[in-house]
Amino acid sequence: MFRKPALSTISNGSSLQGQSIGRLPSLDSKEPAQEEKVVLKKKVTFLRGVSIIIGTIIGAGIFISPKGILKNTGSVGMSLILWTVCGILSLFGALCYAELGTCIKKSGGHYTYILEAFGPLPAFVRVWVELLIIRPAATAVISLAFGRYILEPFFIQCEIPDLAIKLITAVGITVVMVLNSMSVSWSARIQIFLTFCKLVAILIIIVPGVMQLIKGETQHFKDAFAGNDASVMGLPLAFYSGMYAYSGWFYLNFVTEEVENPEKNIPLAICISMVIVTVGYVLTNVAYFTTISPEELLNSKAVAVTFAERLMGNFSLAVPIFVALSCFGSMNGGIFAVSRMFYVASREGHLPEILSMIHVRKHTPLPAVIVLHPLTMIMLFTGDLYSLLNFLSFARWLFIGLVVIGLIYLRYKRPDMPRPFKVPLFIPALFSFTCLFMVALSLYSDPVNTGIGFAITLTGVPAYYLFIIWDKKPRWFRRLLVEIKMDEIKD
């Protein structure tokens, strides 16, 4: 089921090696059999790179997180400051990943960078927790928002049943999985279209908000810092909500080997995308407060819809549709990127070999895509949205902080490594400190969810020694693994 990990090396990233197909010679020919490699091809252009980043960042976060941030910061002024600070911190993190993506031209994102800097054990733990917690929980959170907003126009006068939300959400998740299994090109094209829809949704909120400001609707900005004082327990959760809303800037690094001219396109796509998203997010929150009071925002289950109903009349019915498409784009971009992490981890011997297989005609990592479906469904039908947000944030930011520490370590471990793009050292130092500081405070402010996340993360250590290192497994255990592998192949 699991193989010995391959030696970690810096690849030139020209292609992803999948399963080989033997080409048999003709019976009357002396030509030897040749092997044609099935690979994931370089189909991510600069525009598609921008659409992956923006299209994955702008999702449910800007429509869900305003509530969590305002609740935990206590005032309008502090919430706007936190949105700006989270944007700047996310830009710093994105710049660090831009450096890593241009000097380590391998797909896999967090997993690959931890593998190169710190070796196989922490890299295995990273992909283990991604498979068990982070990706299923993140997909469940964004898809629940998709389900709520897509049903909003049909339940105007009454509450949307939770079961209806989860059922339509399950359909959306399945559609995304099928799409990413069928075609890389179509996944990328749809992502560009959905990114356009996201920007339209943001502009639908920003433009009327600016008009409200011009009309003098600034009553909610007077005494902007009045209200409940921010607490030490609340600020980490507010940062989690804010950083979750900006998360997605790292996904282009998951598909580095499929990016055309990565030395140029990765840093440029990351910088342009982060500026657009940060400005858009801050202006969107300003627009909210021109029309909705802090109390009304906290009581709203769909902030963007509440805003639209106040200003746009019947046209407000279009807003939840745009928001749902925005969430669908985040689901699509996340699955597209993270499936490559599982693919690369399987290629290194850290996950079952079947996950490194590529469809011979469609050139998609089919097994690496569909492996997430059952786990995501479990999260969807058993988890609470805000609990899931805190649950996944602990593990995600712990390892992102470790990746950026790895950048600093590689500066000293491999000073001669080519670095086409290089950031000042204070940027990774500040960003990694912020990540680890938030993780430490979260153990105090939300010990249940973060404690569960920490415990599941630690299970990666015995799993590594059990599946990867332990050679002298009992005969019954080896037979069980072989049977599981044969079942996978048959499926």
Side-chain angles (χ1 to χ4, degrees):
M1 185 176 180
F2 292 83
R3 293 164 289 138
K4 278 290 185 181
L7 292 176
S8 173
T9 58
I10 302 292
S11 166
N12 62 9
S14 59
S15 64
L16 292 175
Q17 303 301 324
Q19 294 299 103
S20 297
I21 308 173
R23 183 169 64 83
L24 297 177
S26 61
L27 294 177
D28 58 349
S29 171
K30 296 182 180 180
E31 178 188 0
Q34 297 180 3
E35 288 188 347
E36 178 186 351
K37 296 260 178 104
V38 180
V39 298
L40 298 177
K41 299 179 180 179
K42 286 183 175 289
K43 293 187 176 181
V44 180
T45 61
F46 168 74
L47 180 60
R48 288 178 177 179
V50 171
S51 72
I52 287 173
I53 298 172
I54 295 180
T56 309
I57 294 176
I58 302 177
I62 188 59
F63 310 110
I64 294 176
S65 295
K67 180 177 178 179
I69 289 178
L70 180 62
K71 178 181 178 181
N72 288 296
T73 55
S75 66
V76 172
M78 277 299 298
S79 69
L80 293 176
I81 288 175
L82 194 109
W83 276 104
T84 305
V85 169
C86 287
I88 294 171
L89 286 173
S90 297
L91 175 61
F92 283 0
L95 291 173
C96 295
Y97 271 61
E99 175 177 327
L100 289 167
T102 55
C103 65
I104 302 175
K105 300 185 186 68
K106 295 174 65 178
S107 294
H110 319 308
Y111 166 81
T112 297
Y113 305 144
I114 292 175
L115 179 65
E116 295 292 345
F118 301 115
L121 174 57
F124 175 85
V125 173
R126 176 65 186 86
V127 76
W128 174 266
V129 76
E130 179 78 30
L131 183 61
L132 292 183
I133 305 177
I134 297 177
R135 182 43 40 192
T139 304
V141 168
I142 190 68
S143 60
L144 280 170
F146 163 79
R148 173 172 292 279
Y149 277 97
I150 201 73
L151 291 174
E152 189 75 27
F154 303 99
F155 292 86
I156 298 175
Q157 303 298 328
C158 60
E159 187 72 18
I160 305 175
D162 287 339
L163 181 59
I165 293 175
K166 291 185 177 182
L167 288 176
I168 197 68
T169 295
V171 173
I173 292 170
T174 304
V175 170
V176 170
M177 299 286 183
V178 171
L179 175 64
N180 280 273
S181 300
M182 296 299 291
S183 171
V184 173
S185 295
W186 273 106
S187 296
R189 289 168 187 159
I190 290 175
Q191 188 69 8
I192 292 174
F193 169 74
L194 293 173
T195 299
F196 174 77
C197 293
K198 293 169 185 283
L199 296 177
V200 169
I202 293 292
L203 288 174
I204 287 175
I205 296 171
I206 291 175
V207 172
V210 171
M211 294 175 65
Q212 288 289 93
L213 285 177
I214 294 173
K215 293 177 182 178
E217 298 291 337
T218 59
Q219 63 271 21
H220 299 142
F221 297 102
K222 296 176 181 177
D223 299 323
F225 293 93
N228 299 325
D229 293 332
S231 65
V232 175
M233 291 182 64
L235 279 177
L237 299 181
F239 266 105
Y240 271 173
S241 295
M243 297 299 280
Y244 167 74
Y246 283 99
S247 65
W249 43 262
F250 40 76
Y251 281 127
L252 188 59
N253 295 71
F254 284 57
V255 297
T256 300
E257 296 173 37
E258 297 172 72
V259 177
E260 295 179 356
N261 191 9
E263 295 88 349
K264 176 184 176 182
N265 286 337
I266 288 179
L268 191 58
I270 285 174
C271 292
I272 291 176
S273 300
M274 290 310 302
V275 170
I276 292 173
V277 171
T278 303
V279 172
Y281 273 13
V282 174
L283 291 179
T284 298
N285 280 275
V286 170
Y288 285 150
F289 289 117
T290 62
T291 305
I292 305 174
S293 69
E295 294 77 16
E296 290 170 332
L297 189 147
L298 290 174
N299 292 326
S300 174
K301 292 187 177 180
V303 180
V305 175
T306 302
F307 173 87
E309 288 173 347
R310 295 285 180 85
L311 295 182
M312 302 177 192
N314 292 333
F315 183 73
S316 64
L317 293 176
V319 172
I321 302 300
F322 277 109
V323 176
L325 290 174
S326 177
C327 296
F328 190 85
S330 291
M331 294 158 60
N332 181 61
I335 296 299
F336 179 85
V338 174
S339 61
R340 273 60 177 177
M341 175 191 286
F342 300 146
Y343 174 91
V344 173
S346 176
R347 190 174 64 182
E348 295 286 345
H350 284 164
L351 287 179
E353 187 175 3
I354 191 173
L355 298 183
S356 64
M357 294 181 181
I358 300 172
H359 196 284
V360 294
R361 293 186 301 276
K362 302 182 186 302
H363 295 272
T364 59
L366 181 61
V369 172
I370 62 176
V371 70
L372 287 168
H373 193 270
L375 291 172
T376 304
M377 290 300 174
I378 292 172
M379 287 280 189
L380 174 63
F381 286 97
T382 59
D384 171 69
L385 193 148
Y386 284 100
S387 295
L388 285 175
L389 178 57
N390 297 330
F391 187 56
L392 71 93
S393 290
F394 162 79
R396 169 180 280 171
W397 296 111
L398 172 66
F399 284 103
I400 288 177
L402 185 62
V403 167
V404 179
I405 291 173
L407 181 150
I408 300 172
Y409 177 64
L410 287 173
R411 289 275 187 97
Y412 295 95
K413 180 183 178 183
R414 300 179 184 174
D416 298 327
M417 179 188 295
R419 291 178 172 86
F421 181 84
K422 191 174 182 179
V423 297
L425 196 59
F426 82 90
I427 289 179
L430 176 63
F431 183 78
S432 59
F433 172 79
T434 303
C435 288
L436 298 181
F437 179 70
M438 287 194 300
V439 167
L441 283 181
S442 71
L443 288 170
Y444 173 74
S445 60
D446 190 15
V448 175
N449 286 310
T450 53
I452 292 172
F454 183 66
I456 296 178
T457 300
L458 289 180
T459 63
V461 176
Y464 175 76
Y465 286 99
L466 177 63
F467 294 113
I468 307 300
I469 298 299
W470 188 24
D471 287 326
K472 298 180 180 179
K473 300 179 178 70
R475 182 177 298 176
W476 65 266
F477 190 85
R478 293 199 303 270
R479 186 165 54 246
L480 176 63
L481 294 183
V482 171
E483 290 176 357
I484 293 174
K485 183 174 179 179
M486 292 302 297
D487 290 339
E488 290 173 344
I489 294 174
K490 290 177 182 178
D491 293 340

